[in-house]
Amino acid sequence: MRNRVRELRHEHGLSQAALGAALGVSRQTVNSIETGRYLPSLPLALAIARHFDLIVEEIFDVDE
Amino acid sequence: MSTNDTPQRTRQTWVVPGFAVAAGIAYLIAGIVGDEVGFGIFGLVLMVSLAVGVLAFRRHSETVQGLLDRRDERLVQIDVKATAFAGSVVIAAILIAFIVEIARGHDGDPYAALGAIGGVAYLAAVVWYRLRG
């Protein structure tokens, strides 16, 4: 899976810690999601999408 | 999924330290009952120190904090995987010890009973989680 979390976070001027606090997860988890080392659960993916006012498919996509 | 702080998560933070203190008290009682008061006091001091150390260290480590309050799904997954790994190591050690005891001409106790408990617990867990979907 690839995702646009880092790109969106930068666009919104957020640090990893700030995004983590908003989502209720640690900075480490945000970093792991951004680097593709951790695939978030569906509820967390939805929370990320809602935080950026997008839908999940606009953030997460399968590697072709 | 993660949520904001709730009383439930606050209580969750105290589970591990509380368990450590309870274990320390159990060590103390066992030591007194078994006429090994020194062991009991050492056990209590060790476990209370562990509880205090964990609570103090959580302010400096996201990982420790996450393992305590369980609000971060990734850290919960890490905890589950680490627990499964540790359980596998213990089961392997029990099986090896059982085989060694049999090879020595003994009856395999207490490792046979411990292995049986592990096997039954695994099967019960499979059935439980299978029924829960």
Side-chain angles (χ1 to χ4, degrees):
Chain A
M1 293 286 288
R2 50 194 161 80
N3 68 74
R4 296 174 53 218
V5 173
R6 174 165 285 164
E7 170 193 339
L8 291 165
R9 180 173 61 78
H10 284 159
E11 284 178 7
H12 287 73
L14 293 169
S15 66
Q16 289 182 336
L19 180 57
L23 297 170
V25 299
S26 66
R27 180 198 58 77
Q28 298 165 341
T29 293
V30 172
N31 183 60
S32 292
I33 292 169
E34 289 183 353
T35 55
R37 285 184 289 116
Y38 176 67
L39 196 59
S41 67
L42 181 56
L44 181 55
L46 286 167
I48 293 169
R50 285 173 184 160
H51 183 80
F52 292 119
D53 206 17
L54 296 170
I55 60 174
V56 171
E57 291 90 334
E58 291 176 304
I59 301 176
F60 296 92
D61 200 1
V62 180
D63 281 325
E64 297 294 342
Chain B
M1 184 181 161
S2 303
T3 61
N4 294 327
D5 286 334
T6 64
Q8 184 181 3
R9 293 193 189 282
T10 302
R11 282 197 301 273
Q12 185 76 41
T13 301
W14 292 90
V15 169
V16 172
F19 181 81
V21 171
I25 293 170
Y27 292 161
L28 177 64
I29 294 170
I32 293 170
V33 171
D35 205 21
E36 294 280 353
V37 179
F39 166 82
I41 292 172
F42 175 76
L44 177 63
V45 171
L46 183 69
M47 297 309 285
V48 170
S49 300
L50 176 67
V52 172
V54 165
L55 285 172
F57 195 59
R58 71 181 168 144
R59 300 182 191 287
H60 305 285
S61 168
E62 281 185 335
T63 303
V64 172
Q65 177 66 41
L67 290 174
L68 286 177
D69 66 22
R70 304 184 72 78
R71 64 191 294 232
D72 186 310
E73 63 174 43
R74 174 173 153 271
L75 290 173
V76 171
Q77 278 193 19
I78 289 171
D79 182 45
V80 169
K81 289 176 184 175
T83 302
F85 176 75
S88 299
V89 169
V90 170
I91 290 170
I94 288 171
L95 290 176
I96 290 169
F98 173 71
I99 291 168
V100 169
E101 284 297 292
I102 294 296
R104 285 177 171 172
H106 300 151
D107 61 4
D109 276 342
Y111 305 109
L114 291 172
I117 289 170
V120 169
Y122 175 79
L123 290 175
V126 167
V127 170
W128 173 255
Y129 288 116
R130 173 69 180 81
L131 291 174
R132 292 188 68 190

